[in-house]
Amino acid sequence: MASQETFKEHSVAEFFKKNKQMLGFSGKIRSLTTIVHEYVTNSFDACEEAGILPEIEMEMKETGKDRYLLKVKDNGPGIPKKHLGKALGMMLAGTKFHRYIQQRGQQGIGAAGCTMYSLLTTGKPVYAESGNGKEIIKCNISVDFKTNKPVLTNIIEEPSDFRGLVVEAEFGDVKFEKSNYGVIEYLRRSALVNPHAKIRFTDPSGEAIVFPRSTEEIPPKPVEVQPHPLGITAHDLLDLSKAESEYSRLSSFLQARFSRVSLAKVNELKDMLPEINFNKNPKNLSWEECEMLVQKFKDIKWISPSADGIIPIGKDLIEKSFVNVLNPEIVVVSERKPKIYKGGIPFVVEAGIAYGGGIASAGKKGEVMRFANRAPLLFDAGGCAITETVKSVDWKRYNLKNFDEEPIVVLVNISSVHIPYVTAGKQAIAGIEEVSDEIKNAVMEASRKVQVYISGKRKKKEAETKRKVIRRYVNQLSSDLAELAETDDEEKLKEKLSEMVENRYT
Ligand SMILES: Nc1ncnc2c1ncn2[C@@H]1O[C@H](COP(=O)(O)OP(=O)(O)OP(=O)(O)O)[C@@H](O)[C@H]1O
Ligand SMILES: [Mg+2]
């Protein structure tokens, strides 16, 4: 048995220091892509919430073996001074975790995870500049691992018209490579589903690549949605009721804090639970009462959760992006209605298929592009519900012989206020039944459209071959017929026969 001296507590920062692979820091190429992913998704989220068209500039310089300096600058709202340290130097702190809102980040760990990785591999803090258009704050930020508290040094505050965030950090044990899992591929995919963004990346050789903006339309602002009664547990209800400060009666608290709870629904609950006083202060709800309420929530016929907070990419933009980036012969997109998982969390799946044309000439085959809230998922494909579902489709039924051999790209984007990721590294979607089923339905719907196209195309090709073969006999046939019919109007016969062949086989 372990002695009492070995019993110690540790902070979340220490935990992730030991388990950095959980945040995506495993392998040199992956670690670098993870870093770029965290900064880019943060910039996109911040810009979207502030209604700004994002412009991100990134520069990477090699500073040693497997060591790079990365500078990321965005034109977002910046981070207020009082939050800057926590945002970049404290694990599990941020503006997204506690809200039901569709954003790419959701845990409050991405940016601080990068600061941690910089400290662990180079011993250096990150340098940050945050401006709101009037003032700028510049400082170095590191993490105190023992306490998971941010440490700010060299703070300078001065007037400035700069608005946005700049982060400059040096990372070791990372590698820049132009591979399918590298930074450039990540940015390419990001640009594909975020055509409203402009991204400029200067690679370590000094070569700059620009992903231009192809639409000036800012995606709708993400709005916070309230939890649906079917998605919450007794513990959630107790937490929310204790935190309530505005509503002093249970009946009004339920109507105000949950989606789809009307006065009529509260009255239904009252009839079902005469032992509960619905005029009581929600702060005084007991665990037993919460359990009873959650139990009864399941017996009520609710309207499905509102999908107002869900922002898919949209058919038009997916089509446009596919054409811009892949120039395929055919593009199909299935648009689906919102669904719910875990009884209360709404989500929307979009599936697009691009086939032939530029995909064939680029030598791409059987590719699956996975996205969650418009952020590309490049890693952990094997354990992701999207890959598993796409691979499980019987493609032969859709006139495609072998998925891995066809010039086909399947894009799946899942949008939700809470994406069910497998790990904190946010690279794979968990195989929750409702989610997997919906991915399958979306992919199959798109596949059927491809099937119609391909079978139409095959029929056309067959007809074309027949037409060519038969046309070869027209000359001979018309001269033979002219001889048989004892006429010298062979030309007319030829014309008529050609017409018949054309009509029959086109
Ligand atoms: N470029 C930025 N502009 C404005 N605010 C930012 C920016 N980057 C980070 N933030 C703020 O810092 C917080 C912490 O970022 P961090 O990436 O650690 O967590 P997150 O994005 O909330 O969730 P996740 O861990 O899933 O990425 C964010 O919630 C946001 O409030
Ligand atoms: Mg983040």
Side-chain angles (χ1 to χ4, degrees), residues 353 390 393-400 403 408 410 443 447:
I353 297 182
V390 172
V393 169
D394 181 8
W395 290 96
K396 290 194 187 66
R397 272 182 52 196
Y398 300 104
N399 276 339
L400 291 158
F403 182 77
I408 187 169
V410 177
V443 172
S447 314

Side-chain angles (χ1 to χ4, degrees), residues 38 41-42 96 105 110-111 426:
E38 296 302 347
T41 49
N42 280 350
K96 306 168 199 171
K426 295 183 294 184

Side-chain angles (χ1 to χ4, degrees), residues 7-25:
F7 189 94
K8 285 191 178 142
E9 41 183 85
H10 42 267
S11 78
V12 60
E14 285 176 300
F15 172 79
F16 279 114
K17 175 181 168 181
K18 241 186 177 169
N19 294 292
K20 39 189 177 311
Q21 77 286 351
M22 286 184 182
L23 298 179
F25 295 110

